[in-house]
Amino acid sequence: MARAEKPIFVVAIAVAAAILSYRPVYEPDLGWHLAQGREALAAHFVRTNLFSFTYPDYPQHYTSWLSEAIAYSAWRAGGDVGVRTTQALVLAAALAFVYLACRLRATALTSMAVLAIGFLVIEPRAIPRPHLVSFAGIAFCSWLVERARAARSARPLYAAVPIVVLWSNAHGESIFAPAMLGLFAIAELIHPSALPRREAFRGLIVAIVCGAALLVNPYGWGMLRYLYENAILPQSLTISELQPAYLPAYKAFFVYGVVALLVLASLPRQLTLWEALAAIVFAALGYRYLRFTPLVVFVTAPMIAARLTAWNARGLDSRAVLVTALVGAVFVSRLPLFAYVRSLQPGGLFPQTMFSSRAVEFVRTEGLAGPVFNSNNLGGWIAWELYPDVRVFQDSRLQAYPQEHFDAILRASRSQEEWDALVRGVDWAVLSTPRPNALSGAGRFPLEQWAAIFWDEAVAIVARRGGRYDGAIARLEYRVVTPESDIFALAPLLSSAQGARLRLEAERQRLENPTGFTAAAVMCVLDDSTACDDVERLAARFPAFEHEAQFVRVLRSK
């Protein structure tokens, strides 16, 4: 790498990693990853479903304990910023290794051009989870393969063995290391292009040793069992990351695939068996499972950059290639490019629109504890914030529960009688307000049996009537200002016998849910100028509130 190139390389990698890391992301799995990291650092390796009261002894054959321990350590050191900075460092390593792999056969400009589009393929999956370690691991293996090609020797591949030992403790997709190196070695054995057959055989031995290195973790064979279970997740559940890549969210992946096909096919005599197999396998994985879409970049970027450099020698201007890639990125991007910069923020791992810190404070203040029904997407967050005082009903660790558990929830969601039987063992519930679905419990806690004692834009907490929290219900129940109410229904009550109660609940709701619209609308009608300012602000920000805001203006003008 030229001296003038190094500062550009460092700055570009740092900026790209920061853009991918310091941004708001809704990630329901992050909570239980941090909770498991907390347990690991306390020398309690998670081997059963300890966060849950429904299946506390159900075995967990493998966890990404090392990634989780590092994430928790980062949180202890720097809170949300610490976790995001760790994410940025891992992504920077992944981007750096794939760039270095490109540079072994390509110029700086063509390497940058490939990564300009590759960045957008990676972006949708650059979320704070252990799979980011696998991004760096695959990129590292790609760099080793390119070094082996350049040296015509398997020796550079030896470095994969200690990396796989660490990687196998950090994420289950470490299995791609022996698979990728084995594919490279076998292809070179069948049709040598970069390695003599003797060196290819050594490469195959390295791949086999890497396969054995997968077992060097506290769970041993459990990792392979975990991967098998992950492959046969309940078919009754729609797991988004296990769905095929789709448009428009993964437009960059499809465009990258088309470009890769055209570029590789443009010089067919240079295409090796290894490159053809690797491109087909990883493109197919990304097409079938969107969670794997970024891997195709880490594997094929060096191949594409090498072809573009070869075309440079035939008259194609590398500067034109880079400019074309950058302009193309504007049209391929999932979001407007300026949005990536505009949304940068240091913290906010758990967005308040999805995970309510006020709800956590309420639970602790009111002493709510023990078994709880919770929406699926809130399970990991509750485990992180409230374990061991609170044990969840379910969460998104789908391998941590038997399939019949989720089947029972889905079945009960269609019948109130079955739902009542399902939640007979709990006296309170924490429900996701913005994400109602069959696993959330939405609409299955009728007010004649349950009382709403807290709610905001993200979470509603209900307690069973006649249960252990009757005292809390007497003090805290929302009888009038409920999550389902609106200003149209509440306005007539202001002049009724319920008017005083309505005012009290609206005032309390303003404290517990300061960004909520309904309570602000009620208080505005009662001549609270601050509430009126909030009504106008929310209506300007969210056009869906404009009709209600207009109704409030009419009421105030009378």
Side-chain angles (χ1 to χ4, degrees):
M1 185 183 297
R3 178 178 297 180
E5 180 185 352
K6 288 181 180 179
I8 299 174
F9 163 73
V10 171
V11 171
I13 293 296
V15 169
I19 289 173
L20 293 175
S21 302
Y22 297 99
R23 57 178 180 157
V25 173
Y26 166 65
E27 180 43 64
D29 291 356
L30 177 60
W32 56 260
H33 282 304
L34 288 171
Q36 292 190 159
R38 181 175 57 200
E39 295 300 309
L41 286 183
H44 303 147
F45 281 93
V46 177
R47 297 183 182 276
T48 61
N49 193 353
L50 75 168
F51 303 128
S52 168
F53 78 91
T54 49
Y55 289 91
D57 299 319
Y58 195 78
Q60 286 195 251
H61 303 294
Y62 174 78
T63 73
S64 305
W65 75 269
L66 183 58
S67 293
E68 292 157 349
I70 292 172
Y72 177 66
S73 298
W75 181 86
R76 289 191 63 182
D80 289 3
V81 177
V83 176
R84 289 194 182 280
T85 301
T86 302
Q87 176 185 353
L89 291 173
V90 175
L91 284 168
L95 294 171
F97 279 123
V98 75
Y99 180 79
L100 292 174
C102 290
R103 287 291 281 116
L104 288 170
R105 286 197 280 165
T107 65
L109 293 180
T110 53
S111 299
M112 291 177 187
V114 174
L115 286 189
I117 302 298
F119 170 88
L120 298 174
V121 180
I122 296 165
E123 180 270 325
R125 301 298 304 160
I127 51 183
R129 289 175 57 177
H131 71 235
L132 297 183
V133 175
S134 290
F135 288 7
I138 289 289
F140 182 77
C141 288
S142 186
W143 178 58
L144 293 183
V145 167
E146 290 299 316
R147 288 182 58 202
R149 285 175 53 91
R152 297 189 61 81
S153 168
R155 186 174 296 275
L157 303 181
Y158 297 172
V161 177
I163 292 300
V164 171
V165 171
L166 291 174
W167 189 359
S168 70
N169 288 272
H171 193 238
E173 285 172 16
S174 53
I175 195 171
F176 282 124
M180 181 177 173
L181 298 182
L183 188 64
F184 172 58
I186 291 172
E188 290 298 305
L189 278 171
I190 295 172
H191 192 278
S193 61
L195 299 183
R197 281 197 168 91
R198 182 176 179 180
E199 291 300 314
F201 181 76
R202 288 179 178 174
L204 183 59
I205 297 300
V206 172
I208 293 170
V209 173
C210 285
L214 294 174
L215 307 181
V216 185
N217 67 77
Y219 300 88
W221 290 98
M223 189 188 79
L224 300 180
R225 181 168 180 177
Y226 166 85
L227 292 172
Y228 170 74
E229 291 177 347
N230 197 48
I232 59 168
L233 282 171
Q235 297 302 307
S236 54
L237 298 176
T238 301
I239 313 302
S240 60
E241 66 178 17
L242 298 183
Q243 301 306 303
Y246 56 88
L247 294 170
Y250 291 87
K251 177 169 56 176
F253 168 76
F254 290 104
V255 170
Y256 182 92
V258 171
V259 170
L261 175 63
L262 294 175
V263 171
L264 292 176
S266 69
L267 298 170
R269 292 185 179 181
Q270 293 187 14
L271 186 64
T272 67
L273 179 61
W274 145 248
E275 290 175 326
L277 291 176
I280 291 170
V281 168
F282 282 93
L285 280 172
Y287 177 78
R288 177 60 185 85
Y289 303 106
L290 63 84
R291 69 176 291 169
F292 296 140
T293 49
L295 302 188
V296 70
V297 173
F298 299 119
V299 174
T300 64
M303 309 172 192
I304 299 170
R307 270 41 176 212
L308 292 175
T309 298
W311 277 107
N312 292 161
R314 302 185 183 194
L316 181 66
D317 192 327
S318 58
R319 291 169 297 184
V321 172
L322 178 58
V323 171
T324 301
L326 293 175
V327 172
V330 175
F331 299 98
V332 172
S333 176
R334 185 172 64 95
L335 302 172
L337 292 183
F338 69 87
Y340 293 113
V341 177
R342 187 179 61 183
S343 64
L344 289 177
Q345 61 181 43
L349 282 178
F350 295 99
Q352 288 296 302
T353 54
M354 292 294 177
F355 307 101
S356 169
S357 59
R358 294 182 293 272
V360 171
E361 182 180 355
F362 177 87
V363 169
R364 290 171 177 158
T365 300
E366 296 300 326
L368 305 180
V372 62
F373 176 86
N374 59 278
S375 299
N376 183 272
N377 66 311
L378 299 181
W381 169 69
I382 293 172
W384 166 236
E385 295 283 3
L386 298 170
Y387 175 84
D389 294 329
V390 178
R391 305 291 180 107
V392 300
F393 191 92
Q394 58 171 328
D395 58 66
S396 54
R397 296 169 303 144
L398 301 182
Q399 300 91 339
Y401 300 82
Q403 178 173 342
E404 54 264 26
H405 180 55
F406 296 106
D407 288 343
I409 299 172
L410 293 173
R411 186 169 56 251
S413 69
R414 298 187 288 268
S415 163
Q416 186 62 51
E417 183 179 357
E418 289 191 47
W419 189 268
D420 293 342
L422 180 76
V423 299
R424 187 173 292 125
V426 301
D427 284 319
W428 62 299
V430 181
L431 310 175
S432 176
T433 303
R435 294 184 70 86
N437 55 52
L439 294 177
S440 72
R444 288 303 176 188
F445 291 87
L447 293 180
E448 60 269 18
Q449 301 175 40
W450 301 81
I453 56 176
F454 174 94
W455 67 275
D456 63 12
E457 62 182 337
V459 166
I461 299 177
V462 299
R464 184 189 296 277
R465 300 186 190 278
R468 61 187 291 199
Y469 296 115
D470 268 353
I473 292 175
R475 292 183 294 107
L476 302 168
E477 180 182 5
Y478 280 103
R479 299 177 186 172
V480 186
V481 184
T482 65
E484 294 78 24
S485 62
D486 58 41
I487 187 60
F488 300 112
L490 295 178
L493 301 181
L494 288 170
S495 57
S496 72
Q498 292 182 292
R501 174 85 188 189
L502 172 56
R503 180 174 192 136
L504 287 173
E505 290 187 12
E507 289 175 342
R508 177 182 155 214
Q509 174 66 185
R510 289 276 289 156
L511 295 174
E512 292 185 341
N513 187 21
T515 59
F517 184 86
T518 300
V522 171
M523 297 307 297
C524 179
V525 173
L526 294 172
D527 292 326
D528 183 324
S529 60
T530 302
C532 291
D533 291 341
D534 287 341
V535 166
E536 296 301 329
R537 177 179 54 80
L538 289 168
R541 184 178 178 186
F542 303 105
F545 289 136
E546 178 55 36
H547 185 46
E548 292 179 73
Q550 182 61 35
F551 181 65
V552 171
R553 297 184 197 111
V554 171
L555 290 178
R556 294 198 71 224
S557 66
K558 292 182 178 180

Short mmCIF file of all heavy atoms in Angstrom, two decimals, residues 29 217 223 231 233 255 285 308 311 403 418 546:
data_model
loop_
_atom_site.label_atom_id
_atom_site.label_comp_id
_atom_site.label_asym_id
_atom_site.label_seq_id
_atom_site.Cartn_x
_atom_site.Cartn_y
_atom_site.Cartn_z
N ASP A 29 -32.87 -8.57 19.84
CA ASP A 29 -31.98 -9.61 20.38
C ASP A 29 -30.86 -9.04 21.25
O ASP A 29 -30.25 -9.78 22.02
CB ASP A 29 -31.34 -10.39 19.23
CG ASP A 29 -32.35 -11.25 18.48
OD1 ASP A 29 -33.52 -11.28 18.90
OD2 ASP A 29 -31.97 -11.87 17.47
N ASN A 217 -14.45 -24.77 22.40
CA ASN A 217 -15.29 -23.79 23.09
C ASN A 217 -15.99 -24.51 24.24
O ASN A 217 -15.98 -25.74 24.30
CB ASN A 217 -16.31 -23.18 22.11
CG ASN A 217 -17.33 -24.18 21.63
OD1 ASN A 217 -18.27 -24.52 22.34
ND2 ASN A 217 -17.16 -24.68 20.40
N MET A 223 -22.04 -26.59 19.59
CA MET A 223 -22.15 -25.57 18.56
C MET A 223 -22.76 -26.15 17.28
O MET A 223 -23.61 -25.53 16.64
CB MET A 223 -20.78 -24.97 18.23
CG MET A 223 -20.89 -23.77 17.31
SD MET A 223 -19.33 -23.14 16.73
CE MET A 223 -18.98 -24.32 15.43
N ALA A 231 -31.16 -24.36 11.86
CA ALA A 231 -31.62 -24.65 10.50
C ALA A 231 -33.04 -25.21 10.46
O ALA A 231 -33.69 -25.16 9.42
CB ALA A 231 -30.66 -25.65 9.84
N LEU A 233 -35.58 -24.26 12.68
CA LEU A 233 -36.42 -23.46 13.56
C LEU A 233 -37.89 -23.70 13.25
O LEU A 233 -38.24 -24.10 12.14
CB LEU A 233 -36.09 -21.98 13.37
CG LEU A 233 -34.82 -21.49 14.06
CD1 LEU A 233 -34.52 -20.07 13.61
CD2 LEU A 233 -34.95 -21.54 15.56
N VAL A 255 -28.16 -5.77 -7.01
CA VAL A 255 -27.34 -5.02 -7.96
C VAL A 255 -25.89 -5.52 -7.91
O VAL A 255 -25.25 -5.73 -8.95
CB VAL A 255 -27.41 -3.51 -7.67
CG1 VAL A 255 -26.37 -2.75 -8.49
CG2 VAL A 255 -28.81 -2.98 -7.96
N LEU A 285 -26.45 -18.42 -0.88
CA LEU A 285 -26.75 -18.29 0.54
C LEU A 285 -27.42 -16.95 0.84
O LEU A 285 -28.40 -16.88 1.58
CB LEU A 285 -25.47 -18.42 1.37
CG LEU A 285 -24.95 -19.84 1.62
CD1 LEU A 285 -23.57 -19.78 2.28
CD2 LEU A 285 -25.92 -20.61 2.50
N LEU A 308 -11.70 -5.74 -12.65
CA LEU A 308 -11.74 -4.33 -13.03
C LEU A 308 -10.34 -3.78 -13.26
O LEU A 308 -10.12 -2.98 -14.18
CB LEU A 308 -12.45 -3.53 -11.93
CG LEU A 308 -13.96 -3.80 -11.77
CD1 LEU A 308 -14.50 -3.04 -10.58
CD2 LEU A 308 -14.71 -3.44 -13.04
N TRP A 311 -9.22 -4.83 -16.61
CA TRP A 311 -9.81 -3.98 -17.64
C TRP A 311 -9.12 -2.61 -17.69
O TRP A 311 -9.07 -1.97 -18.74
CB TRP A 311 -11.31 -3.81 -17.41
CG TRP A 311 -12.10 -4.96 -17.96
CD1 TRP A 311 -12.73 -5.95 -17.26
CD2 TRP A 311 -12.33 -5.24 -19.34
NE1 TRP A 311 -13.34 -6.83 -18.11
CE2 TRP A 311 -13.12 -6.42 -19.40
CE3 TRP A 311 -11.96 -4.62 -20.53
CZ2 TRP A 311 -13.52 -6.98 -20.60
CZ3 TRP A 311 -12.37 -5.17 -21.73
CH2 TRP A 311 -13.14 -6.35 -21.76
N GLN A 403 -40.34 -26.18 20.36
CA GLN A 403 -41.22 -25.64 19.33
C GLN A 403 -42.66 -25.54 19.81
O GLN A 403 -43.38 -24.60 19.45
CB GLN A 403 -41.15 -26.52 18.08
CG GLN A 403 -42.09 -26.05 16.96
CD GLN A 403 -41.89 -26.81 15.66
OE1 GLN A 403 -40.86 -27.44 15.48
NE2 GLN A 403 -42.87 -26.75 14.78
N GLU A 418 -58.48 -20.08 25.17
CA GLU A 418 -57.17 -20.72 25.20
C GLU A 418 -56.11 -19.75 25.71
O GLU A 418 -55.16 -20.16 26.40
CB GLU A 418 -56.80 -21.23 23.81
CG GLU A 418 -57.60 -22.44 23.35
CD GLU A 418 -57.01 -23.05 22.10
OE1 GLU A 418 -55.77 -23.25 22.05
OE2 GLU A 418 -57.78 -23.32 21.16
N GLU A 546 -52.74 15.04 12.66
CA GLU A 546 -53.26 16.34 12.25
C GLU A 546 -54.77 16.43 12.41
O GLU A 546 -55.31 17.47 12.83
CB GLU A 546 -52.86 16.63 10.80
CG GLU A 546 -53.39 17.96 10.26
CD GLU A 546 -53.00 19.15 11.12
OE1 GLU A 546 -51.87 19.17 11.66
OE2 GLU A 546 -53.85 20.06 11.26
#
